[in-house]
Amino acid sequence: MSQVQVAIVGSGPAGLSAGARAAVRGLSHVVLERTEQPSNTIFRFQKGKHVMAQPAHTPLRSEIPFEDGRREDVLAAWLARAEELGVNFRFNSEVTGITGSRGDFVISLADGEEVRAETVVLAVGLQGNLNKLRVPGAELPHVGYQLDDPDEFEHERIAVIGGGDASIENALALAEHNEVTIINRSDEFARAKSANESAILAAIESGRMDVAYNANTIAIEPDTLVLETPEGEARIPCERIIARLGAAPPRKLVEACGVEFPTEERNALPEVSPQYESNVPGLYVVGALGGFPLIKQALNQGYEVIEHIVGEDVEPADAPLLREKISAAQGWDVDGFLEAVRTRVPIFAELNALVLRDTMLESEVHSFTDGEIVFRRNDYTNSLYVVIEGAVRIHLDDEMPPKASVQLGQGAFFGEMGLISGRRRNATVSAIGNALLLEVPRRRMITLRASVPSVREAMDREAVARSIQSHLAPGLDRDSIDDIAAAATIHNWSKGQVLFSEGEEGDSLHLIRRGSVLVRKKIGDHDVVLNYVAAGNYVGEMALVSGEPRNATVAAAADCETIRIERDDFNRLMDRHPDLRTEIEQVREARAAITARMAESPDQGSLIEFLVDQGGKEATDILLIDESLCVGCDNCEKACAGTHGGITRLDREAGPTYADMHVPTSCRHCEHPHCMSDCPPDAIKRAMGGEVYITDACIGCGNCQRNCPYDVIQMANPQMGERGWLASLLGGMAGKRAEVSDGPKQAVKCDMCLDIDGGPACVRACPTGAAIRVHPSEVIELVTGSGR
Amino acid sequence: MSAAPLHSGFLTHKRMMFAWLALLLVLAVAAAWYWQEMLPPSAVDLGFSYGLGTLALVIMLWLTWFGVRKRSYAKGAGRLKAWLSAHVYLGLSLVFLVPLHGGFTIAPDIHGIAYVLVLVTVFTGLFGVAFYGFYPRRVTANREGLTFDAMLKRIAEIDIELRGLSTQLSEAANNIVRREAESGRIGGGVGILFARPINKARRARQALLRLNLDSDAGNRAAALLESKAAVVDRLQRDIQMRSRLRAWLLLHVPLSLATLAAVIAHAAGMLMFGLGSV
């Protein structure tokens, strides 16, 4: 029996990192690994899988190196480092139980041996305890619970069981060379990442894969999978079955070590102290089992736990970064600042310490002096600001200094309208006195809004009042709005849903927060589109003012969010703010004029509908080609290729045409870009001018390409070099879309010639004036105004 | 046209600003010419004519520079549309400036060649303007939303089905159908610029009908040939119109280079030997 200072159970990222730190610290140690190789879980990742070093902002503090890369490269670096440091592994050593206490633990192994240790680090993770099928035949040799290398199998019939990311990724990879059926217990793949969901649905749609929905596995036979489906029993012939059913904490083992779980729930995790110590003194729990499932977190904890064991007081790995973050805030320390955020900012009051730290890491602290501008009206930034100290002024007009303004004090937030609508800033904001602000990026806020209900509720409550104030009753003080705001409700509409119909009684008004709507009316037998109304405007006011039934139908052109104000509340608002009545009257007249023009030529309505449908509904800038002027010279494509490494980002000929208006395949720079929604390295950005572009951080995963509903993103090697005018004259075909080329591929898309003076090359290079770029708000003007 | 159209074509760019400028230039030159005609003959020297020639040469150099500007995608001031607008109207002004410079006389020498080349080049340019105004809408209308590739694909699909059918036909019919399904040619070379070639699919259909087939396969083949003929018609029109949109450039560009060469030879000759010496 051997005796060590530290015994580490498990050699995944946490265990390996702990072993490496113990070796550096000169502690006698052993890393007990159940299988015959270290980090077996990572070894069993799908071959070539791209391993991400997440969370990106957390610094790595470990003896083990780690950066984004293929699983093979990551592992090779780990093992080389472990060997260099002399980490002492003991393989094929499955732990069956741990007894004793600090200073004298006895670890029993499956082979009957025992290891004595002064302290124990439990780093077994979850993946060592994969959920398995519990049906007759589950132990047959052709049933697997992991997939190492999909290329090992060819021309087989394979059933993949599970509706999560792992099973989708496996199924897609296997479908390259096999006949694959994916078995889903539910009727959709909603649990998966959206890119995976769209990829699997596309594969099913195109027939590359079969699917069984609402199917439960009831038995496995040597060459058949037996399912229970709503239509009865189904038998799927297959030579191989891969079941990806997730993993759970190895509760039996952990309990056998004396560690307690707080609840009976299957996925419950043991409770540990801030030093990772469990209820058993001297027994520490780190990694996924301790609630930190990401590789980088596990590596950091492996390091930290050894420091705790030797009695070193380590601060969290992110502390130096946080210190640097708040260096702009003189006189603050990290803990004090975090405390101030939590106590002063109501929307963040309920964030737990970990989420708050993470949020801080992604945010920026700014210190502004009196009168300094935070952002200007029409800037295309979309972060959210909170006031930690001091106050800011929201300018309600463009005067400098403003004639009308609103003050926001400590704890308030602002910038939410840009965040929610995806449109330009609608007001300038400046500091009053010395103001300390925290700027939280859009992506972080979206995550927080989605995952922490209190953030969403607190934000919405405030944002509704402000929307009413800024869009309906500017100049009215908040006290006169709060009761109306409290009664207003937020509604979500999916594309095509009707907000209200012609002929109905007008009982409410909708303020559009996000998305846009189409206004239609029956004229004769035709359903004519009368208008297109975007976020930041209201609809439904006419019937409220006139008291007559609705005179048009309003439906969501894109997914929408509206604030609904009831008739009585609206009337109260008009009583308090008589200007509103005048303004509504003006809006009504302007709309009536458009209605009259549109009613004269219903074709224009159809054109608007077409343009809205082709992206106008969510675009901030859309490239159109007037086919009455386009001579097909493709100079637009050549110009695009000539200024973007030889790859054109627009396909002139592709795309639909209606009434001489052609919408080529080219980026719409959406308000809420679909491409941005699932970019692992956060490589897709939005510039001040609204341009959505991809940075060099792109890892070539292709998520954005799959997520784009307009098919405008290509995967290509962007290092093809640019051509001068002479080369393009002699070389000819510079404008062809990128074909397969050597080197790693990255996503490429239109960046609206962000770095080129004079604006988009496609439009500048069009000899006849056929190519134009328009903002959707100009669609009505484009269609009804002449000039065509 | 409304006050500020959201977009306009190159001819109406900035409310035809360059047309007005070119007209102004022509009027100014005409006024200057009239003024120097009024002078007593003794006071007239070659200054006006040299000045006018230099002006025309500068304009021609600038017009030729369009070929470079068109391909300068990252650099180059303004929109190409504005350049084309100015190119068209300034080019047109040469129709007046050059004859005036030549005293409205023409001789069979290098000066005369330069004179004629300028006019012919401008004339080919006018063809371009006319085509650019006439064809784009028609190309779109003719396509009815299909892309060129989609039309080719449709033909390929029809050909596959025809080949499948041909085995069920009599030998004579089989010959007609197979020959049609296996011929890949639909264009007609340079000739398509002037007239559309014979639609062989339609001819094959007529030949097939003359055989008086009364079988399902025969009827299906005839129907397929008719669909193919319709696509071929459409494609031929498409190719013809798009070729015309490009072909004039094959005259205009070499002619403009030839013009420039001839004009430089003319100017050099004038400077070295004087009028009538070449």
Side-chain angles (χ1 to χ4, degrees):
Chain A
M1 188 181 341
S2 53
Q3 165 90 31
V4 292
Q5 285 170 293
V6 187
I8 298 152
V9 184
S11 70
L16 191 64
S17 178
R21 187 61 192 163
V24 170
R25 276 279 182 185
L27 302 179
S28 64
H29 68 278
V30 62
V31 179
L32 302 169
E33 167 57 45
R34 189 175 58 161
T35 68
E36 58 199 13
Q37 60 195 0
S39 290
N40 188 55
T41 296
I42 315 278
F43 254 113
R44 304 297 301 266
F45 274 9
Q46 191 166 308
K47 193 176 165 191
K49 180 180 167 82
H50 190 86
V51 182
M52 303 279 305
Q54 292 287 0
H57 294 274
T58 302
L60 176 70
R61 185 169 55 188
S62 172
E63 301 298 339
I64 302 291
F66 182 44
E67 50 190 46
D68 287 2
R70 289 166 52 242
R71 73 136 210 213
E72 287 79 0
D73 302 333
V74 169
L75 274 176
W78 288 5
L79 298 194
R81 183 68 182 149
E83 189 166 347
E84 187 187 327
L85 295 175
V87 176
N88 181 30
F89 291 105
R90 190 182 194 283
F91 297 115
N92 301 313
S93 305
E94 184 174 356
V95 171
T96 52
I98 301 173
T99 55
S101 60
R102 184 187 291 279
D104 187 28
F105 283 107
V106 178
I107 303 168
S108 351
L109 304 179
D111 58 12
E113 303 250 336
E114 285 183 342
V115 175
R116 279 181 180 277
E118 292 168 21
T119 50
V120 176
V121 176
L122 209 51
V124 291
L126 308 181
Q127 296 299 320
N129 188 37
L130 293 173
N131 294 336
K132 305 212 163 154
L133 289 166
R134 282 177 225 155
V135 297
E139 299 305 323
L140 287 170
H142 70 298
V143 182
Y145 296 94
Q146 276 176 325
L147 176 65
D148 224 353
D149 180 2
D151 294 336
E152 270 176 36
F153 310 113
E154 276 188 355
H155 311 302
E156 289 189 18
R157 288 172 300 182
I158 304 178
V160 178
I161 303 177
D165 287 311
S167 48
I168 292 178
E169 283 167 20
N170 288 172
L172 288 171
L174 286 168
E176 303 264 320
H177 304 293
N178 301 281
E179 260 181 63
V180 174
T181 307
I182 186 160
I183 316 295
N184 188 349
R185 218 163 38 161
S186 108
D187 58 355
E188 52 181 21
F189 289 95
R191 206 150 48 84
K193 284 190 273 188
S194 63
N196 275 336
E197 184 186 1
S198 42
I200 192 83
L201 293 179
I204 293 166
E205 178 87 2
S206 67
R208 278 180 288 136
M209 193 181 299
D210 282 332
V211 64
Y213 288 113
N214 298 314
N216 281 310
T217 306
I218 49 176
I220 293 171
E221 294 165 15
D223 51 6
T224 308
L225 174 66
V226 187
L227 301 174
E228 180 189 56
T229 71
E231 291 84 39
E233 191 180 286
R235 299 175 66 84
I236 311 271
C238 56
E239 284 87 46
R240 189 167 302 282
I241 292 166
I242 310 275
R244 303 303 306 261
L245 309 171
R251 188 159 182 146
K252 235 165 79 185
L253 167 68
V254 179
E255 282 179 335
C257 305
V259 177
E260 290 165 7
F261 284 77
T263 68
E264 285 303 311
E265 207 194 326
R266 199 172 126 71
N267 287 320
L269 298 169
E271 270 175 4
V272 296
S273 75
Q275 284 75 38
Y276 311 123
E277 198 167 0
S278 71
N279 61 302
V280 179
L283 198 156
Y284 296 79
V285 176
V286 291
L289 187 58
F292 293 85
L294 299 173
I295 293 175
K296 198 196 269 180
Q297 293 170 332
L299 287 168
N300 284 355
Q301 290 193 345
Y303 176 101
E304 287 163 20
V305 74
I306 296 298
E307 296 302 291
H308 289 309
I309 287 171
V310 299
E312 197 75 39
D313 188 20
V314 279
E315 57 177 14
D318 56 14
L321 274 185
L322 285 177
R323 254 197 302 281
E324 205 190 308
K325 283 269 174 205
I326 64 160
S327 60
Q330 276 166 10
W332 288 85
D333 63 19
V334 172
D335 290 336
F337 194 88
L338 288 172
E339 194 51 30
V341 173
R342 206 195 339 257
T343 52
R344 294 180 183 183
V345 182
I347 56 168
F348 291 157
E350 288 182 31
L351 293 190
N352 75 36
L354 213 75
V355 175
L356 187 62
R357 283 187 99 93
D358 245 20
T359 303
M360 274 295 297
L361 279 175
E362 289 185 23
S363 306
E364 295 295 329
V365 177
H366 303 282
S367 176
F368 289 93
T369 54
D370 190 33
E372 217 180 327
I373 303 285
V374 180
F375 55 68
R376 286 174 196 281
R377 181 195 190 82
N378 287 337
D379 277 358
Y380 224 124
T381 52
N382 46 23
S383 46
L384 182 101
Y385 288 83
V386 293
V387 184
I388 306 297
E389 201 170 56
V392 295
R393 174 176 285 122
I394 315 279
H395 300 213
L396 298 178
D397 52 43
D398 284 337
E399 306 284 325
M400 248 342 141
K403 287 203 177 108
S405 67
V406 176
Q407 279 197 24
L408 293 180
Q410 185 175 302
F413 65 89
F414 60 93
E416 81 288 352
M417 283 190 206
L419 180 88
I420 293 169
S421 72
R423 297 193 161 214
R424 293 172 189 275
R425 297 290 192 195
N426 63 355
T428 301
V429 177
S430 62
I432 300 173
N434 290 333
L436 190 61
L437 306 181
L438 182 69
E439 180 185 6
V440 189
R442 169 184 186 271
R443 202 170 132 110
R444 186 71 198 179
M445 278 318 299
I446 287 175
T447 317
L448 285 179
R449 275 172 63 85
S451 59
V452 187
S454 66
V455 171
R456 184 178 199 117
E457 284 157 18
M459 256 182 92
D460 281 349
R461 224 173 15 245
E462 179 64 23
V464 165
R466 284 203 203 142
S467 295
I468 294 175
Q469 191 175 29
S470 76
H471 295 302
L472 292 174
L476 204 57
D477 59 65
R478 273 296 292 279
D479 291 344
S480 324
I481 288 173
D482 280 343
D483 58 330
I484 291 165
T489 45
I490 294 177
H491 294 257
N492 282 288
W493 311 90
S494 47
K495 187 189 163 190
Q497 238 182 321
V498 173
L499 277 67
F500 54 78
S501 304
E502 197 175 341
E504 279 177 11
E505 190 200 346
D507 54 357
S508 60
L509 167 140
H510 288 269
L511 196 53
I512 307 166
R513 269 182 118 188
R514 183 168 64 87
S516 50
V517 299
L518 278 171
V519 183
R520 302 161 188 275
K521 187 173 173 62
K522 267 226 162 2
I523 296 181
D525 289 341
H526 297 283
D527 195 18
V528 177
V529 171
L530 295 181
N531 208 343
Y532 164 76
V533 183
N537 296 290
Y538 44 81
V539 287
E541 78 291 347
M542 279 196 214
L544 287 196
V545 178
S546 67
E548 287 166 15
R550 300 282 191 201
N551 65 353
T553 298
V554 170
D559 290 353
C560 281
E561 212 171 290
T562 65
I563 298 170
R564 176 182 159 132
I565 302 169
E566 304 303 322
R567 182 211 300 266
D568 293 346
D569 293 326
F570 185 71
N571 285 336
R572 269 193 291 159
L573 195 63
M574 280 201 295
D575 292 342
R576 289 177 201 170
H577 188 64
D579 289 356
L580 179 58
R581 202 176 288 275
T582 328
E583 193 207 299
I584 295 266
E585 192 52 37
Q586 282 165 0
V587 169
R588 201 189 62 77
E589 273 173 29
R591 288 193 177 162
I594 292 177
T595 304
R597 260 188 297 171
M598 299 299 291
E600 269 172 34
S601 44
D603 287 353
Q604 293 181 339
S606 310
L607 179 55
I608 288 178
E609 191 173 8
F610 165 77
L611 290 175
V612 164
D613 201 44
Q614 287 306 318
K617 59 182 181 277
E618 55 183 343
T620 63
D621 187 288
I622 186 164
L623 176 65
L624 298 177
I625 292 181
D626 184 341
E627 295 271 3
S628 67
L629 290 170
C630 177
V631 296
C633 66
D634 279 335
N635 214 37
C636 45
E637 289 191 9
K638 288 174 198 158
C640 187
T643 49
H644 293 90
I647 303 165
T648 175
R649 283 99 203 274
L650 79 104
D651 186 338
R652 179 189 59 80
E653 208 188 329
T657 305
Y658 183 87
D660 279 345
M661 267 301 159
H662 177 66
V663 187
T665 300
S666 168
C667 181
R668 274 80 159 156
H669 300 273
C670 300
E671 289 171 348
H672 295 277
H674 303 269
C675 52
M676 268 191 195
S677 62
D678 188 18
C679 174
D682 198 12
I684 306 182
K685 303 283 181 199
R686 167 153 248 159
M688 218 40 153
E691 303 89 345
V692 177
Y693 64 99
I694 303 178
T695 66
D696 283 343
C698 174
I699 53 167
C701 68
N703 281 359
C704 53
Q705 187 191 30
R706 285 187 289 275
N707 283 338
C708 174
Y710 305 107
D711 203 16
V712 305
I713 300 180
Q714 315 164 57
M715 304 306 295
N717 176 4
Q719 315 298 337
M720 286 168 51
E722 297 183 8
R723 296 176 175 212
W725 67 269
L726 193 62
S728 77
L729 177 67
L730 301 175
M733 311 299 281
K736 286 285 153 225
R737 289 199 123 195
E739 297 295 334
V740 179
S741 56
D742 293 337
K745 288 192 177 176
Q746 289 192 323
V748 295
K749 69 177 281 297
C750 166
D751 61 0
M752 266 212 277
C753 295
L754 196 56
D755 306 322
I756 299 172
D757 290 340
C762 49
V763 172
R764 282 195 306 132
C766 177
T768 63
I772 49 172
R773 284 190 162 275
V774 294
H775 183 269
S777 64
E778 296 164 330
V779 163
I780 295 275
E781 191 189 338
L782 178 78
V783 172
T784 60
S786 57
R788 292 196 56 223
Chain B
M1 186 163 304
S2 71
L6 201 60
H7 89 292
S8 57
F10 65 100
L11 288 177
T12 53
H13 175 72
K14 290 245 167 112
R15 297 184 208 152
M16 306 183 73
M17 177 176 79
F18 289 109
W20 295 113
L21 285 179
L23 187 65
L24 207 65
L25 178 72
V26 164
L27 290 177
V29 169
W33 174 74
Y34 184 74
W35 169 76
Q36 65 100 37
E37 285 290 282
M38 291 296 100
L39 293 176
S42 61
V44 178
D45 60 17
L46 289 170
F48 177 76
S49 189
Y50 278 169
L52 194 51
T54 309
L55 175 68
L57 178 61
V58 169
I59 290 177
M60 279 183 241
L61 284 170
W62 185 84
L63 292 174
T64 318
W65 183 252
F66 185 81
V68 174
R69 172 61 187 81
K70 183 184 158 189
R71 294 170 177 84
S72 311
Y73 302 124
K75 301 178 286 278
R79 288 176 61 171
L80 190 63
K81 179 179 85 163
W83 279 68
L84 183 59
S85 190
H87 181 90
V88 167
Y89 292 116
L90 272 181
L92 270 175
S93 73
L94 291 178
V95 174
F96 174 73
L97 300 184
V98 169
L100 185 65
H101 168 67
F104 297 100
T105 57
I106 189 163
D109 53 18
I110 183 68
H111 315 298
I113 290 173
Y115 186 146
V116 170
L117 276 174
V118 170
L119 296 184
V120 174
T121 306
V122 173
F123 185 68
T124 55
L126 278 177
F127 258 93
V129 172
F131 287 168
Y132 276 23
F134 188 75
Y135 284 121
R137 271 210 164 94
R138 284 168 177 78
V139 171
T140 310
N142 177 54
R143 285 201 175 173
E144 288 184 359
L146 292 170
T147 62
F148 189 75
D149 288 341
M151 289 190 272
L152 291 182
K153 207 171 148 206
R154 177 75 194 120
I155 288 189
E157 283 164 10
I158 293 176
D159 282 348
I160 288 171
E161 197 175 343
L162 279 175
R163 281 200 291 274
L165 271 178
S166 64
T167 53
Q168 306 167 34
L169 298 172
S170 69
E171 180 149 0
N174 184 359
N175 276 338
I176 295 168
V177 169
R178 282 203 83 88
R179 196 178 318 130
E180 176 50 32
E182 280 161 13
S183 83
R185 204 177 157 81
I186 37 164
V190 183
I192 199 167
L193 277 173
F194 308 101
R196 278 190 277 128
I198 291 162
N199 187 332
K200 294 205 193 108
R202 182 159 295 121
R203 210 168 53 177
R205 175 174 174 271
Q206 281 152 2
L208 197 66
L209 292 179
R210 276 197 294 274
L211 294 176
N212 283 325
L213 298 177
D214 194 21
S215 64
D216 286 350
N219 292 336
R220 177 74 189 140
L224 281 171
L225 284 170
E226 181 51 38
S227 324
K228 181 173 174 183
V231 184
V232 169
D233 273 344
R234 196 187 289 271
L235 262 175
Q236 287 181 341
R237 281 195 298 268
D238 189 68
I239 294 170
Q240 182 177 53
M241 290 190 282
R242 291 199 300 138
S243 305
R244 283 180 182 166
L245 276 173
R246 278 158 206 247
W248 68 275
L249 268 173
L250 297 178
L251 287 176
H252 189 66
V253 173
L255 274 172
S256 58
L257 294 175
T259 304
L260 206 58
V263 167
I264 287 167
H266 144 75
M270 284 298 297
L271 289 176
M272 281 188 276
F273 308 111
L275 192 60
S277 53
V278 179

